[in-house]
Amino acid sequence: MDTSRKQPLGTLAAVTAAAAAALALAAAPASAAPSEWTVGPGSPTAYTALSTDTVLSVNGFDLACPTADAAGKLFDATGNPAHVGDIDEARFGSDSQPCVSPVGPVTPVADTDPGWRIQAVTHEAEAGVTTGFIEGISAHITIVTCDFDVTGEVAVSYVNATGTLSISNDDTRQLTVSNATPGCIALVEDGDHPTFTGSYVLDADGVHPTITGTGT
């Protein structure tokens, strides 16, 4: 019998454990929950953002804005979640491209004082994608004779390569309606949770800003 290929059980176990650990490390997403965050091209970075597809949906009604823009700054941060940026200005619709709904024109007015806060939570290094949320959102909306406020949070993801900030909602990050006037009957009422979706492209003097997370 050839005994040259035999290895002690302890050695085999160690090799097996090391291989399993290596596979687990390779399968794990890079910097899944970072604690150090760096923005580019520098910190702070001022940006502008433009969207052509923002929609606020509530009770089956879509309030759509063919144009929306925002501006603010991004900056380095530590922690998780990490406050990596602010939205200091936000506008929805324009005189030539107003926001619309099935029941009439829509006039959203954003309250960005204080600024809406961009919080980073996860970062996938290979794809250059950061996920997180925006908190402190506040806006007043008028639809014909209906007025109401919307406050809360939205979930976001950001892609460095394209500068695209995508907005969505989930069970954790929600918007809430308050101060609905009598003219809102059959449309919206206090306590409703509208969804807000859209994608913004960020620009910083001709380049897309970046958000990178490292460490755990």
Side-chain angles (χ1 to χ4, degrees), residues 135-190:
E135 63 181 0
I137 293 171
S138 178
H140 183 81
I141 298 175
T142 301
I143 311 172
V144 192
T145 61
C146 168
D147 286 87
F148 61 96
D149 295 325
V150 172
T151 57
E153 303 176 345
V154 293
V156 296
S157 65
Y158 183 72
V159 180
N160 287 338
T162 61
T164 301
L165 181 75
S166 299
I167 300 172
S168 62
N169 294 101
D170 56 32
D171 291 339
T172 303
R173 311 300 174 190
Q174 291 185 330
L175 299 171
T176 303
V177 170
S178 61
N179 303 318
T181 61
C184 296
I185 293 175
L187 177 62
V188 63
E189 62 183 19
D190 288 358

Side-chain angles (χ1 to χ4, degrees), residues 13-123:
V15 171
T16 302
L23 288 172
L25 182 62
S31 300
S35 58
E36 300 290 333
W37 299 87
T38 304
V39 304
S43 177
T45 289
Y47 70 86
T48 58
L50 180 64
S51 176
T52 59
D53 62 356
T54 59
V55 178
L56 184 76
S57 299
V58 57
N59 298 330
F61 292 93
D62 286 347
L63 318 180
C65 296
T67 184
D69 62 87
K73 55 188 175 295
L74 300 172
F75 34 78
D76 296 348
T78 60
N80 195 297
H83 179 196
V84 297
D86 289 326
I87 298 173
D88 300 318
E89 301 175 30
R91 290 174 292 270
F92 299 93
S94 65
D95 290 341
S96 60
Q97 294 181 294
C99 302
V100 297
S101 78
V103 295
V106 180
T107 306
V109 178
D111 179 5
T112 54
D113 184 17
W116 303 353
R117 297 174 297 280
I118 303 171
Q119 300 279 1
V121 178
T122 71
H123 181 73

